[in-house]
Amino acid sequence: MSVTHGKMGLSLTQEILSHLGLANKTAAWGTLGTLRTFLSFNVDKDVQRLLKAIAGQGVDRIAILDVLTNRSREQRQLISRAFHERTQQDLLKSLQAALSGNLERIVVALLQPAAHLDAQELRTALKGPGSAEDVALEILATRTPPQLQECLAVYKHNFQVDAAEDIKSETRGILRDLLLALAKGGREAYTGIIDYNLAAQDVQALKQAEGPSTERTWVLVFTQRNPEHLIRVLNQYQWYTGHELEKTVRARFHGAACVALLNLALVIRNTPMYFADKLHQALQETEPNYQALMRILISRSETDLLSIRAEFRKKFGKSLYSSLQEISGKISENQEPRGTWWATVHSVARGEHDLTTKQHMCMLNRFSRV
């Protein structure tokens, strides 16, 4: 069904953006995410609004986006269940029938449970065209242990195969070993006790693992140690050698293995910066990588997207929001569905209203103490 409602292109973007809250209201949220629990949530009213939006000859995209991008994932799941109870129809399938293109894909991502979205993205990365390491590493290295466990369980249920089996068949060498180790979920939990002896041992092991046939040491340290311990290892390695561990990685490894280890090191040092880099790469491609933007913005929208935005501005000299607006201005005028998709992305990222880097970092520091 074609999607037609109201204003087109940039005017639609502006209309949706006009309803968004300011970033500095997040001090009361207690979160570094951009999407929060809607305090005036009324599941019956939301179901009624969505029913009205997809009924009749036209589809009210603004109403659909206003509901889905202003509710937490938990609230969206409650809406889905209530919709089914009231209509005996699946909300996700109803919206898929009403929408199309990138807008349909992002609405599906918003309505899916997080583990289902991660499982599908992981499967596509491992079995689809192109290289698997980028998306697979992102999911396996940045999800919490419970999130990863649920993702892998959904993967097995939906695709009738363990993710580990697909990793074995689709990747090779140290990259395969890294992904398999991450998929096992064997990373040690942080106990609050600093083990200085183990940190020194790991530094020495990595210094001695610069020759051939030492890949197992790198895999063990990077995938088994807890992040707090690894930060200490990275700092001590630089103190002992006079250079960052990443320099050794670039000299010791090549290709996908080198990229994977460098990305793991960045995840350990600064996870928001890792995602800021990935968003920047997605925006810099000749054709913006819509799938990567959707996956990252939605998956981090309730955890640390404010921190990611701050790192993006700090490194690239402009806000993530402004970067999205620039791309939107170039592609939306004669491509209405895609313009709507960008409007949705904007509503997830939220506006920063041209805060300076210093102002934004101070704001985030204040939030982290709430």
Side-chain angles (χ1 to χ4, degrees), residues 199-212:
Q201 291 172 16
D202 285 344
V203 170
Q204 290 301 316
L206 291 173
K207 287 175 60 180
Q208 296 169 10
E210 298 179 6

Side-chain angles (χ1 to χ4, degrees), residues 16-283:
I16 294 178
L17 295 180
S18 68
H19 297 290
L20 301 180
L22 297 176
N24 61 14
K25 291 183 180 179
T26 56
W29 298 358
T31 176
L32 289 175
T34 54
L35 296 189
R36 61 184 175 101
T37 298
F38 187 57
L39 298 181
S40 301
F41 179 57
N42 185 312
V43 67
D44 293 328
K45 287 184 178 180
D46 284 345
V47 168
Q48 181 63 35
R49 192 175 182 194
L50 290 173
L51 277 170
K52 184 178 179 180
I54 59 179
Q57 295 182 344
V59 176
D60 189 343
R61 295 166 298 157
I62 293 178
I64 294 171
L65 300 182
D66 187 50
V67 172
L68 297 184
T69 62
N70 285 287
R71 306 295 184 269
S72 67
R73 186 176 291 277
E74 181 180 358
Q75 289 176 327
R76 294 195 295 269
Q77 294 304 304
L78 292 174
I79 293 170
S80 293
R81 288 196 288 272
F83 187 95
H84 184 269
E85 290 173 359
R86 176 169 178 173
T87 66
Q88 301 304 307
Q89 296 178 4
D90 184 89
L91 176 60
L92 181 56
K93 291 181 180 179
S94 297
L95 289 174
Q96 284 180 295
L99 304 173
S100 62
N102 284 318
L103 178 58
E104 176 190 348
R105 283 188 281 275
I106 199 168
V107 165
V108 169
L110 284 165
L111 282 174
Q112 280 185 314
H116 289 251
L117 177 61
D118 280 346
Q120 182 60 60
E121 289 288 293
L122 182 58
R123 174 73 171 186
T124 301
L126 292 172
K127 289 297 186 178
S131 57
E133 61 270 10
D134 184 41
V135 176
L137 185 80
E138 175 192 321
I139 293 172
L140 296 176
T142 65
R143 302 312 189 244
T144 65
Q147 288 172 340
L148 181 58
Q149 185 177 14
E150 187 177 1
C151 166
L152 296 178
V154 171
Y155 192 104
K156 184 174 183 178
H157 177 270
N158 287 356
F159 308 115
Q160 299 301 301
V161 64
D162 284 325
E165 294 302 316
D166 283 343
I167 292 172
K168 289 177 183 177
S169 65
E170 301 298 331
T171 58
R172 300 289 182 272
I174 186 174
L175 173 63
R176 178 185 59 193
D177 296 340
L178 283 168
L179 295 179
L180 286 173
L182 289 170
K184 288 181 180 178
R187 193 179 291 282
E188 300 162 352
Y190 181 56
T191 63
I193 299 174
I194 301 175
D195 193 333
Y196 293 101
N197 289 331
L198 182 59
Q201 291 172 16
D202 285 344
V203 170
Q204 290 301 316
L206 291 173
K207 287 175 60 180
Q208 296 169 10
E210 298 179 6
S213 303
T214 57
E215 291 86 355
R216 186 175 180 180
T217 299
W218 292 86
V219 173
L220 172 66
V221 173
F222 270 77
T223 64
Q224 302 301 305
R225 305 294 190 246
N226 69 71
E228 290 79 4
H229 174 88
L230 283 171
I231 290 173
R232 187 167 289 103
V233 170
L234 293 172
N235 291 337
Q236 288 189 17
Y237 185 96
Q238 182 173 356
W239 189 83
Y240 280 117
T241 64
H243 61 80
E244 292 184 341
L245 182 65
E246 288 85 342
K247 180 178 179 180
T248 301
V249 170
R250 293 187 182 94
R252 170 69 177 80
F253 299 97
H254 304 282
C258 178
V259 173
L261 284 168
L262 290 175
N263 281 330
L264 270 176
L266 183 53
V267 169
I268 293 161
R269 287 187 187 275
N270 189 335
T271 300
M273 176 60 77
Y274 165 78
F275 281 112
D277 277 349
K278 286 179 69 68
L279 287 169
H280 187 259
Q281 292 167 12
L283 287 166

